[in-house]
Amino acid sequence: MESFHMPTRVIFGKGALLEHGHLMKAFGQKALIVTGRQSSRINGSLEDCITTLKASGIYFAIFNEVEENPSLETVEKGAVYGRLEKVDFIIGIGGGSPLDAAKAIAVFMHNDRLDRKAILETKGLGALPVIAVATTSGTGSEVTPYAIVTDHEVRTKRNLGQMVFPMVAYLDPGYTMDLCTAITINTAIDAFSHLAEGYLNTNATPWSDALAEEGFRHFAKVAGQLDLKKDLKDLSYEARAGLMRASAYGGMVISQTGTSLPHGMGYALTYHKGLPHGLANGVLYPPYLKSFKDLTKINRMATLSGFEDLEALLDFLTPLVATDVEFSDEEARQFAKEMASNTAKLKNHPEPVSEEDLYHMYVQMITRK
Ligand code: NAP
Ligand code: ZN
């Protein structure tokens, strides 16, 4: 049976927030803006949000303490502040970290009688309404129901486990114009990895594949410009818009399919080795893609993404994901063991994979800058 569910209203284009901010009136009289420490003040998204809230007569409070890979402690702090300010809904502004923190805060606020453990263990909890204003083109969090948080008690990242689709996603590529080269590339690789892991997935359907294929086509138009040696602050508006579309398509795809091996395996590289999310997945892509025995969809994906074949795609990806990260054989064995117990991600991968295979992927990923 095939099913498709993506209830988020997407407003895409320059001035999206200023022109359509009035849509937020439907969600209450006071909002909590959840954002990172700096970037939303610099790229204009916070100012546009405040302008549009004032014009719509919506009161607001600001929580701007979200760090990269947000921790459950930060989420709890944001929820306490939101309760104190008696807000009706949450607006996340930023990359995936503030957007995910906004969703998690919305869950904690809606379930204020439950403690952290109960929230992590109970399925199907509700949340305050969430609005997403994306300022990176990577995670697609603005159109997914997932909230990825860092849980220091179990020393890794995890999905909060509740389904929180944003009510409205404002996608204005203008906010991404000043992203530096490294963040542009890491987030673009993340967008590509969502399209790929959703396409090469046991849960893929004709509906999700149609979106993935459209996402690959947008990625193809920009891929040639992604070069670590260039200053990507010069990337055109059209190229930024293409990446933002690819990212949103990727989010819509994984909302249906979930992610698979690289995302599950990358969490350890982010938590223990500090690799940014997109790079942590990307560095695993050469061994992941090479592990497939059935190349039918892989070849189609490569062509749609603008490459002659898998080899050409790998030649493009490999230099973009080179890293100096080091880990011991013992660590590789431990990471592989943890991933082998992640049945949720393993069941999304269409071919059999053993703990030994996972270990070899970690070992093979070591490429040098
Ligand atoms: P991020 O962690 O949100 O932000 C990375 C850096 O980029 C921060 O320093 C941020 O600064 C800066 N930044 C954001 N927008 C900017 C802009 N327009 N111009 C300049 N700098 C900007 O990065 P991300 O890759 O977007 O998100 C990664 C997180 O998303 C991870 O936790 C990952 O697990 C999660 N994720 C979620 C999903 C999902 O479906 N929910 C899917 C994939 C990944 P400030 O801190 O100052 O804002
Ligand atoms: Zn991702």
Side-chain angles (χ1 to χ4, degrees), residues 68-69 157 182-183 186 266 269-270 273-282:
E68 291 181 37
N69 308 299
K157 292 172 66 175
I183 299 180
N186 289 340
L269 300 177
T270 296
K273 301 292 164 185
L275 290 192
H277 173 71
L279 181 58
N281 302 326

Side-chain angles (χ1 to χ4, degrees), residues 74-346:
T74 300
V75 167
E76 285 170 339
K77 193 171 175 193
V80 167
Y81 183 54
R83 261 177 232 132
L84 198 72
E85 291 287 335
K86 296 190 170 48
V87 303
D88 304 310
F89 66 104
I90 316 289
I91 305 172
I93 307 181
S97 296
L99 300 191
D100 286 3
K103 295 177 193 175
I105 289 170
V107 171
F108 274 72
M109 282 191 67
H110 188 76
N111 300 283
D112 55 0
R113 295 211 190 115
L114 298 184
D115 63 11
R116 178 196 294 198
K117 189 166 175 286
I119 285 177
L120 289 169
E121 287 174 359
T122 315
K123 291 278 162 243
L125 295 175
L128 293 190
V130 173
I131 307 294
V133 182
T135 69
T136 62
S137 295
T139 72
S141 176
E142 65 277 7
V143 291
T144 76
Y146 312 125
I148 312 299
V149 290
T150 298
D151 185 342
H152 290 299
E153 278 177 22
V154 292
R155 292 173 53 78
T156 190
K157 292 172 66 175
R158 64 192 298 170
N159 184 6
L160 188 70
Q162 310 300 336
M163 300 291 275
V164 189
F165 274 107
M167 297 292 174
V168 185
Y170 292 99
L171 297 182
D172 184 338
Y175 299 144
T176 67
M177 292 305 289
D178 289 333
L179 277 167
C180 67
T181 300
I183 299 180
T184 302
I185 290 180
N186 289 340
T187 48
I189 299 276
D190 191 27
F192 176 79
S193 71
H194 298 152
L195 294 165
E197 281 166 61
Y199 195 58
L200 308 169
N201 194 299
T202 49
N203 303 315
T205 66
W207 313 94
S208 64
D209 279 358
L211 291 172
E213 293 190 356
E214 191 59 9
F216 292 134
R217 288 187 192 98
H218 283 286
F219 186 78
K221 289 187 210 146
V222 193
Q225 299 173 63
L226 300 177
D227 180 343
L228 277 166
K229 291 187 212 86
K230 281 192 193 155
D231 184 355
L232 294 185
K233 288 203 168 162
D234 295 340
L235 214 54
S236 68
Y237 178 85
E238 287 66 34
R240 293 282 181 196
L243 285 175
M244 199 164 238
R245 283 185 198 277
S247 168
Y249 281 121
M252 291 177 198
V253 171
I254 60 168
S255 295
Q256 317 306 314
T257 62
T259 53
S260 70
L261 299 188
H263 269 73
M265 296 172 75
Y267 289 160
L269 300 177
T270 296
Y271 191 87
H272 297 287
K273 301 292 164 185
L275 290 192
H277 173 71
L279 181 58
N281 302 326
V283 79
L284 289 154
Y285 258 68
Y288 163 66
L289 292 179
K290 280 190 222 160
S291 78
F292 278 83
K293 303 210 169 33
D294 179 354
L295 293 182
T296 322
K297 274 186 117 177
I298 297 241
N299 285 333
R300 182 159 170 74
M301 174 183 90
T303 315
L304 288 167
S305 306
F307 303 96
E308 207 172 308
D309 52 19
L310 174 60
E311 209 171 311
L313 170 61
L314 291 175
D315 286 346
F316 157 78
L317 274 178
T318 305
L320 293 183
V321 298
T323 154
D324 288 332
V325 71
E326 302 268 357
F327 50 77
S328 65
D329 193 60
E330 203 181 317
E331 283 178 304
R333 294 249 171 235
Q334 182 57 32
F335 297 165
K337 191 172 172 202
E338 280 164 24
M339 182 61 201
S341 66
N342 189 343
T343 47
K345 294 269 187 250
L346 287 179

